[in-house]
Amino acid sequence: MSSNSDFVFGRHAGLDFLKTQDPEKVNKVFLQKGVREDFANQVYQLARKKHLIVQNVPKNKLDQLTDNGNHQGLVLAVSSFEYAVFDELLDKLESDGKEPFLLMLDSIEDPHNLGSILRTCDATGVDGVIIPQRRASGLTSVVAKTSTGAIDYVPVARVNNLVQTTKILKDRGYWLFGTAMQGQDYRQWDAKGKTVLVIGNEGKGISPLLLKQMDQTLTIPMIGHVQSLNASVATGVLLYQMFASRHQGK
């Protein structure tokens, strides 16, 4: 297997990748022996259209490739996931005449959280995601599986230093909003204009130096006994407030 390969696995993510991506991005298609005939036919039809060979393999081969992930009988060996170049992403978005909405993730470590967040980003029209190069999940096969294909539609830029990146964004006219225990009720948040939402680490929240760069902080009121939400759930709540404020009457 090429060292430049990663894996997309699972029926939804795998079929979506075969439908939407250039065949050059697919190195191999592995299909489990004995899967349902209608599903196998789908895989063969898509592979035939893109001149890809399907290799029938036993389940334990797919278990090995995915580290016992929930592959559902389909694994694609694909070219390594590509990141957007931060400066180029901003230039492209702004040249389109948009007032972009970006999501910055401060050291989200769980790939399942990152995948779920990308799925919500796709649903709510987030223009790009910014993640740090170190101490955070990158784009992996688990992220791809959890995102159910959204990884192919939401640009993700990886940067060296989030604090320095916020300063660049401010210079370009973006407003930065971060999550915190104390802040404006998220239900009053107006997310119009060039906006960046910053989500903190699952356990520690936004790092102190990064928090100082925020123009405003947002909080999600809670009346239960547990005063915290999973990072992907909190992100989803805030992104739908963004969606509501930017798409009123649409």
Side-chain angles (χ1 to χ4, degrees), residues 129-242:
V129 175
I130 302 165
I131 63 174
Q133 286 190 342
R134 295 178 294 277
R135 295 186 295 277
S137 174
L139 300 181
T140 67
S141 56
V142 174
V143 174
K145 171 72 164 59
T146 311
S147 79
T148 60
I151 194 173
D152 302 319
Y153 303 105
V154 181
V156 178
R158 208 158 50 160
V159 298
N160 283 321
N161 187 296
L162 292 181
V163 173
Q164 291 301 319
T165 300
T166 60
K167 293 177 180 178
I168 294 169
L169 289 163
K170 284 187 173 187
D171 287 343
R172 296 182 73 141
Y174 287 81
W175 287 83
L176 276 74
F177 296 84
T179 52
M181 292 298 292
Q182 303 297 325
Q184 180 191 39
D185 187 319
Y186 84 98
R187 292 169 291 185
Q188 276 75 57
W189 179 33
D190 182 353
K192 297 185 186 74
K194 296 168 74 173
T195 303
V196 182
L197 173 64
V198 181
I199 300 292
N201 169 272
E202 291 96 340
K204 300 174 184 176
I206 299 175
S207 61
L209 287 176
L210 185 59
L211 191 60
K212 287 181 180 179
Q213 300 300 317
M214 299 302 105
D215 294 301
Q216 190 170 348
T217 57
L218 304 169
T219 189
I220 301 173
M222 302 179 204
I223 60 173
H225 298 289
V226 179
Q227 291 296 298
S228 64
L229 291 173
N230 173 279
S232 63
V233 173
T235 304
V237 170
L238 292 162
L239 289 183
Y240 268 97
Q241 173 59 24
M242 173 277 290

Side-chain angles (χ1 to χ4, degrees), residues 46-87:
L46 290 169
R48 194 158 43 242
K49 284 181 183 177
K50 300 202 171 181
H51 307 289
L52 298 169
I53 296 173
V54 178
Q55 187 172 344
N56 284 106
V57 297
K59 179 178 180 295
N60 62 359
K61 171 68 172 178
L62 302 187
D63 293 340
Q64 180 184 359
L65 291 175
T66 62
D67 196 21
N68 294 308
N70 184 21
H71 52 72
Q72 299 172 307
L74 178 63
V75 176
L76 311 181
V78 302
S79 300
S80 297
F81 299 108
E82 295 181 9
Y83 293 92
V85 178
F86 174 65
D87 293 337

Side-chain angles (χ1 to χ4, degrees), residues 31-47:
L31 183 66
Q32 182 179 319
K33 292 178 180 177
V35 294
R36 279 175 39 183
E37 186 175 351
D38 56 342
F39 173 58
N41 288 339
Q42 275 186 284
V43 174
Y44 280 116
Q45 286 176 6
L46 290 169

Side-chain angles (χ1 to χ4, degrees), residues 90 92-101 125-128 174 193-194 246:
L90 293 187
K92 181 179 184 304
L93 292 173
E94 293 168 14
S95 69
D96 291 342
K98 298 185 71 169
E99 292 188 321
F101 182 92
V126 171
D127 295 299
Y174 287 81
K194 296 168 74 173
R246 289 170 77 106

